[in-house]
C-alpha cells in the first residue's frame, strides 16, 4: 500500500546510516560498543552504560505485535482514505521495538503476538522507508 502525499521523514546526521541502509533494503539499528545493547531510535549515547561508541547492527526484520492501536482519525490527510488503520509497536526478534503502521492489517482481527515482517516501500523524492506487514500463517 503506497500512500501518496505521505510526509517525508526528517533525516538527521545521527539517523542517516539508518536511512542509507533502508535504501539497500536492510534494517539496522545502533549497537553500543560498550555493552552491546541494541537501540532504536538513534541516540548519541547508550542509555544503559552511557558509552558514546556504537556501530550499526543488521536485524532480521521479523518480529511480532507488542501492542497496537486502531486509528479511526488519521493524523495526516494522506491517511484519510486508509482509516481505520492499525499502528503497532513491533518487537523485533532481536528485542528492539519500532512503531509502524501495518500494511493490510484488519483492525478487527489484529492480535498482540501476531507475526510481522518488514518490507521497504518507495516514498516519492525520498527513497525507501521501512514498513511492516502481518505474516500469514
Ligand atoms: Zn551501552
Amino acid at each position: 500500500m503506497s500512500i501518496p502525499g505521505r510526509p517525508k521523514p526528517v533525516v538527521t546526521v545521527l539517523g542517516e546510516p539508518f536511512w542509507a541502509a533502508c535504501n539497500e533494503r536492510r534494517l539496522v539499528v545502533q549497537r553500543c560498543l560498550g555493552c552491546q545493547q541494541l537501540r532504536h531510535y538513534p541516540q548519541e549515547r547508550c542509555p544503559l552504560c552511557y558509552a558514546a561508541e556504537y556501530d550499526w547492527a543488521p536485524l532480521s526484520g521479523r518480529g511480532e505485535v507488542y501492542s497496537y492501536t486502531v486509528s479511526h482519525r488519521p493524523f495526516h490527510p494522506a491517511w484519510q482514505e486508509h482509516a481505520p488503520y492499525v499502528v503497532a509497536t513491533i518487537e523485533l526478534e532481536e528485542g528492539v521495538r519500532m512503531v509502524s503502521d501495518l500494511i493490510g492489517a484488519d483492525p478487527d482481527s489484529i492480535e498482540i503476538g501476531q507475526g510481522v515482517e518488514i518490507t521497504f516501500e518507495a516514498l516519492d523524492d525520498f527513497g525507501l522507508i521501512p514498513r511492516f506487514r502481518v505474516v500469514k500463517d
Side-chain angles (χ1 to χ4, degrees), residues 32-37 39 45-51 53:
C32 174
L33 294 181
C35 71
Q36 304 302 306
Q37 178 70 36
R39 65 182 187 252
R45 289 184 174 270
C46 176
L48 296 182
C49 76
Y50 211 55
E53 296 76 29

Side-chain angles (χ1 to χ4, degrees), residues 3-66:
I3 301 180
R6 180 182 180 138
K8 297 174 187 62
V10 175
V11 178
T12 62
V13 171
L14 202 55
E16 196 281 330
F18 172 84
W19 295 109
C22 286
N23 270 326
E24 298 170 353
R25 299 186 181 279
R26 297 184 302 116
L27 181 64
V28 298
V29 296
Q30 287 179 317
R31 175 175 45 212
C32 174
L33 294 181
C35 71
Q36 304 302 306
Q37 178 70 36
L38 299 174
R39 65 182 187 252
H40 182 76
Y41 57 92
Q43 297 159 63
E44 292 281 353
R45 289 184 174 270
C46 176
L48 296 182
C49 76
Y50 211 55
E53 296 76 29
Y54 60 86
D55 65 0
W56 293 89
L59 302 185
S60 69
R62 293 184 299 272
E64 63 181 39
V65 174
Y66 176 80

Side-chain angles (χ1 to χ4, degrees), residues 77-97:
W79 273 264
Q80 182 67 49
E81 68 184 90
H82 302 287
Y85 57 91
V86 177
V87 177
T89 298
I90 293 154
E91 186 163 276
L92 293 155
E93 287 178 336
E94 296 84 357
V96 178
R97 294 180 188 156

Side-chain angles (χ1 to χ4, degrees), residues 79-127:
W79 273 264
Q80 182 67 49
E81 68 184 90
H82 302 287
Y85 57 91
V86 177
V87 177
T89 298
I90 293 154
E91 186 163 276
L92 293 155
E93 287 178 336
E94 296 84 357
V96 178
R97 294 180 188 156
M98 295 186 173
V99 175
S100 174
D101 57 338
L102 289 182
I103 298 171
D106 179 355
D108 294 327
S109 65
I110 193 76
E111 295 179 352
I112 289 174
Q114 200 157 12
V116 298
E117 65 183 5
I118 200 165
T119 185
F120 294 93
E121 183 178 286
L123 189 61
D124 289 344
D125 301 322
F126 181 78

